[in-house]
Structure formats: structure tokens, C-alpha cells
Amino acid sequence: MRRTVAPFAALLVAALAGCAAPPAVPTLDAVRAERSLTMTSAWLRAAAATEQYIERDWPEAVYPPLEFERWVEQDRALAEVAACMDGILGRTAGSVSEGGIYTVAPRPTKEPTWALPVAQLRCSVQLVPWTGLFPFGGPVEQEWVRHQLTVALPQCVRRWGAELVIPDIDAAVDASIYATSAGGSLRATQSVWLAAELRLVDPATAQQIRAACPDPGRTLVQLGPAEIRPIEFGPSGGGLTGAEETGEGP
């Protein structure tokens, strides 16, 4: 039997939600905190959906509470989940081919039928692939980027004697927050320079300015994975508290 191990983390993207109104001039720490709250709330929804799915299809299943373990590199996610399944089951659950196909090993006769699928779901919640493409862009982050585009970046550009031109501020904010493909590149780019240009400067100096001045897109990329705070569920995977449902947890 062949199947791919599909991480349940797809629910994270769909579940992202907004946060509180931003301060006048947000800090980068405030952006980190907003991202952490957003991803924690999204992870809670994904974990709760997984618990409900398991309880619906395998009500007899017995397993520890779901918890977030760590982010994993996207290209390592399949192997990481496979190793996690092996650890839970105490045996080799299957193997990953060079083409990225997971082949399930024969199930021991004494092993419950629910053990393998539940292990797969658990591992897909515990180990979340980090792509860098999660659509954050909450109000605090939006305001931080706008401040960078209207204050910090222009000040830096002027020190070089150049002029910063941003025809569409909303497009520049989006270019800084959301990675997009540009030109013939297959790799997505996240940079204000996809929507801004320099004038009154020669090409060599323009290149130096782009390298030296604060590109909010480059800064956001360097933040890396958002923190997902450890959350404990009841032994039956019961409901969330009111604070957890609204993303207002500790």
C-alpha cells in the first residue's frame, strides 16, 4: 500500500486570524508577538480538528494529548513525520522513497487498526513544516511595515542623496509581507524593492542602497518561524477554553 504522509498543518494557513489594534509605531517585538499569537491560535484549531477527527473515526483510540513539538524544514517534513511515527509505534511504520512516497509496512497482527493513522495525525500536528509562506500580515505587522516604508527607509535613502519612489504604498506593503515570484525566478521573493524604485542615483549606488537600507521584507523573512506556545489538552482531546478559542491565551 502506498500513500503520501500529508501533514495536517494545511489547516494552519486556513485558520489564521487577526489580532488587536496596533500601536502608533509598532516594534519588531510586537510583530513577533502578533505572529506568535496568530500561529498559536491557528495551531489550536488544527489540533482540535485532529482530535475531533480521531474521536469520530477511532473512538476506541487511546493516545497522549496532542502537543506542538517543533517546526521542521519543509523538505524534511516527510522524513521527520515518518521517524515520529516509528517512535510512537515502537517499530518501523514504513519507508520514504527518493520520490517522496511513503510506503506503509505490514501491520503487526496485535497492533490496533487505529494505531498507524492516529500516529500519522499526531505527528503531523506535533511537527509543523515551516515554509516561510504563511500569510501573516496582521494589523501590527501591517503598521510596522508602513512605518518602515514612510519613515525608516526614506531616511536611509536620503542619506545617499537618492530619492525613494513608491507608486503604490499598499502594493509595497504586500511585497514586504507576502512572498511572490518575480520575473523568471522560480523562488519566491519577499522585498519592498518589488514595488519601489530609486531615482537620482547611478546603478552601482542603487545596488549599495538596496543592500544597506532596511528592507522590511528581508527583515520579516529573517524572523523565521513564529513561536507556538505549548498548549495542553485534556486526555480526551476535549474543548478549548474561551481564551484559547479566541487566541487570547497566555
Side-chain angles (χ1 to χ4, degrees), residues 93-107:
S95 59
V96 182
S97 72
E98 292 184 1
I101 301 296
Y102 184 75
T103 303
V104 178
R107 176 177 64 86

Side-chain angles (χ1 to χ4, degrees), residues 1-6 78 81-82 85-86 89 91-97 100-108 111-120:
M1 177 181 181
R2 291 178 178 269
R3 66 176 76 175
T4 58
V5 178
L78 188 63
V81 169
M85 292 166 61
D86 291 350
L89 296 173
R91 65 176 179 88
T92 300
S95 59
V96 182
S97 72
I101 301 296
Y102 184 75
T103 303
V104 178
R107 176 177 64 86
E111 184 176 276
T113 56
W114 54 262
L116 178 65
V118 169
Q120 177 179 333

Side-chain angles (χ1 to χ4, degrees), residues 83-197:
C84 173
M85 292 166 61
D86 291 350
I88 289 175
L89 296 173
R91 65 176 179 88
T92 300
S95 59
V96 182
S97 72
E98 292 184 1
I101 301 296
Y102 184 75
T103 303
V104 178
R107 176 177 64 86
T109 40
K110 292 186 178 181
E111 184 176 276
T113 56
W114 54 262
L116 178 65
V118 169
Q120 177 179 333
L121 290 169
R122 283 174 57 196
C123 290
S124 295
V125 171
Q126 291 174 203
L127 306 171
V128 183
W130 174 255
T131 67
L133 300 178
F134 288 97
F136 292 112
V140 172
E141 187 167 344
Q142 292 269 344
E143 195 60 32
W144 179 84
V145 171
R146 287 183 182 276
H147 182 264
Q148 293 297 306
L149 299 185
T150 58
V151 178
L153 185 57
Q155 287 178 348
C156 181
V157 169
R158 284 195 294 270
R159 285 198 289 268
W160 293 74
E163 178 185 357
L164 175 69
V165 178
I166 302 178
D168 185 336
I169 188 70
D170 290 333
V173 169
D174 287 349
S176 300
I177 295 176
Y178 310 114
T180 57
S181 295
S185 174
L186 297 177
R187 187 167 186 174
T189 301
Q190 187 175 331
S191 171
V192 65
W193 298 113
L194 295 175
E197 58 182 288

Side-chain angles (χ1 to χ4, degrees), residues 14 25 171 203 250:
V25 182

